[in-house]
Amino acid sequence: MNVKPHLALLLVISLLALIPIPAFAAEYQLDDGTALKVKILQTISSKTSHEGDPVTMQIYQDVYDKTGKMVLIKAGTSVDGFINRIQKNGAVGKAGELGMSIDQTRAVDGRNVPLRAALSREGESKTGSTVALGVVTGIIFLPGLLFLMRHGKDAEIPAGSIISAYTNHDIVITTLDEPQKEALK
């Protein structure tokens, strides 16, 4: 009996046992309208921002599949968004305004996940009190008309604000990992 072919077969089988077997790919659906928490990482102000400026944001909490076992979007993943409206504060107590929108993030498989969300803020208006003070003091003193030059407050969204965004359509995410936690109860 020739031992060499048996040794060669044994060697091949031994080497194959050392090669890791990849996990099977699984597909998970993230439904349209799934809520995500997004954290704004920079302070945004109507005083300093401009239309089209990007906004630095990230996913605040892991986003799981329907069973709550598989992370589809990891916390800390960057989120794309931008300033879409700016109104500077103005004379006669006019408040500043700003608006921003959120566009997309990435799933664990690298796929873009379109999002929808819009946020707007308005600073404190001082129009009523400015006009009243201007009229009252203007009747008595001509310099009272300088009250009309008083500006309203700038609109601001502070860093650390958490807002909700929603997936913009159904998306299938493919992952090779095993479920990462027990089902959420």
Side-chain angles (χ1 to χ4, degrees):
M1 168 153 111
N2 192 353
V3 178
K4 285 185 180 180
H6 294 292
L7 285 175
L9 182 60
L10 185 59
L11 179 63
V12 169
I13 292 172
S14 298
L15 289 174
L16 286 175
L18 297 175
I19 299 173
I21 300 172
F24 291 101
E27 291 185 342
Y28 298 90
Q29 181 167 312
L30 196 56
D31 292 333
D32 179 35
T34 299
L36 300 86
K37 295 292 183 192
V38 175
K39 183 176 186 178
I40 300 173
L41 300 177
Q42 69 187 82
T43 296
I44 306 163
S45 170
S46 61
K47 183 176 185 176
T48 58
S49 297
H50 301 89
E51 282 189 29
D53 284 353
V55 178
T56 306
M57 298 174 284
Q58 67 184 17
I59 297 296
Y60 182 65
Q61 299 174 316
D62 288 338
V63 178
Y64 290 90
D65 71 316
K66 293 176 194 175
T67 67
K69 293 182 180 182
M70 179 58 69
V71 174
L72 301 180
I73 304 173
K74 289 185 179 184
T77 303
S78 67
V79 175
D80 297 335
F82 64 95
I83 303 294
N84 61 10
R85 189 182 82 238
I86 289 286
Q87 179 70 47
K88 303 288 185 189
N89 65 358
V92 193
K94 183 178 177 205
E97 297 178 20
L98 72 90
M100 59 168 279
S101 63
I102 294 176
D103 291 334
Q104 67 181 1
T105 190
R106 288 200 181 273
V108 293
D109 66 354
R111 194 167 301 189
N112 284 338
V113 178
L115 301 175
R116 63 179 181 262
L119 180 65
S120 62
R121 289 284 192 267
E122 186 173 322
E124 182 183 342
S125 175
K126 296 182 180 178
T127 303
S129 64
T130 300
V131 171
L133 285 170
V135 169
V136 169
T137 58
I139 292 171
I140 300 169
F141 305 104
L142 186 58
L145 294 176
L146 293 177
F147 275 105
L148 296 176
M149 297 305 294
R150 199 167 96 169
H151 285 235
K153 297 246 182 194
D154 292 305
E156 185 175 282
I157 302 172
S161 296
I162 308 294
I163 61 174
S164 293
Y166 303 90
T167 53
N168 206 19
H169 58 73
D170 293 343
I171 186 163
V172 175
I173 297 168
T174 305
T175 179
L176 298 176
D177 296 331
E178 294 296 318
Q180 298 160 349
K181 72 180 266 185
E182 292 300 315
L184 300 173
K185 300 276 180 184

